[in-house]
């Protein structure tokens, strides 16, 4: 049936991506209509993952517009992969902050598509802000947006924020975020304590 055929092509794309044959993975998409099988969200997700595995985030992002142009709806997983890729050097080579701008566009498009960003989505966006933002404060601006959206943070959120504070020697900010998330029931794990220690060492406390 159609489902089994689609599973076959999704598996083929995944295997070609893992083998480093991105050219052939993309050719599968071109060949499918002639074979009577319509692409799906799962197929595009596999293609996007293959592009990211092979360090081609630009093509991965282009696939989003290709799929929506064909009337195929992206999933939360689709957007999550693309948002996480916005810190890739290839997307930030031309201009500092280009990846962050792409991240913000994706978050807006995701919401417009009726897919509210999740904790995992925001954690990816926070990581992009930390790696590809123009200013250290971009991370906290994103965290404030996360709170306004009513999305609860988790220990991974705390880890991204404290690591960012360690990288920029922001002791007061680190203390504040640990206290704030503690009030929300999020407790530091060993990795967070390690980053917190880095903040103190960096600030010579």
């Amino acid at each position: 049936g159609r489902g089994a055929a689609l599973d076959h092509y999704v598996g083929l794309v995944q295997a070609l991506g893992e083998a480093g044959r991105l050219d052939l993975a993309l050719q599968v998409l071109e060949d499918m209509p002639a074979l009577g099988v319509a692409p799906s969200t799962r197929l595009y997700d596999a293609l996007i993952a293959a592009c990211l595995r092979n360090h081609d985030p630009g093509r991965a992002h282009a696939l989003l517009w290709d799929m929506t142009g064909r009337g195929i709806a992206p999933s939360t997983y689709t957007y999550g992969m693309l948002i996480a890729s916005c810190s890739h050097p290839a997307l930030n080579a031309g201009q500092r902050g280009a990846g962050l701008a792409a991240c913000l566009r994706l978050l807006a498009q995701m919401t417009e598509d009726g897919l509210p960003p999740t904790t995992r989505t925001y954690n990816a966006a926070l990581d992009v802000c930390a790696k590809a933002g123009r200013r250290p404060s971009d991370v906290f601006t994103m965290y404030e947006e996360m709170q306004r959206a009513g999305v609860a943070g988790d220990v991974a959120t705390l880890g991204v924020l404290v690591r960012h504070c360690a990288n920029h020697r922001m002791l007061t900010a680190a203390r504040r975020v640990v206290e704030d998330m503690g009030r929300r029931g999020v407790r530091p794990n060993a990795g967070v304590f390690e980053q917190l220690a880095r903040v103190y060492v960096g600030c010579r406390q």
Side-chain angles (χ1 to χ4, degrees), residues 60-80:
H61 285 243
L63 283 167
L64 173 65
W65 311 122
D66 183 74
M67 71 186 292
T68 55
R70 296 183 190 220
I72 299 171
S75 65
T76 301
Y77 179 68
T78 312
Y79 278 110

Side-chain angles (χ1 to χ4, degrees), residues 22-32 47:
L22 184 56
D23 55 334
L24 294 179
L26 292 166
Q27 188 61 47
V28 170
L29 176 64
E30 300 304 317
D31 293 345
M32 286 177 68
L47 281 168

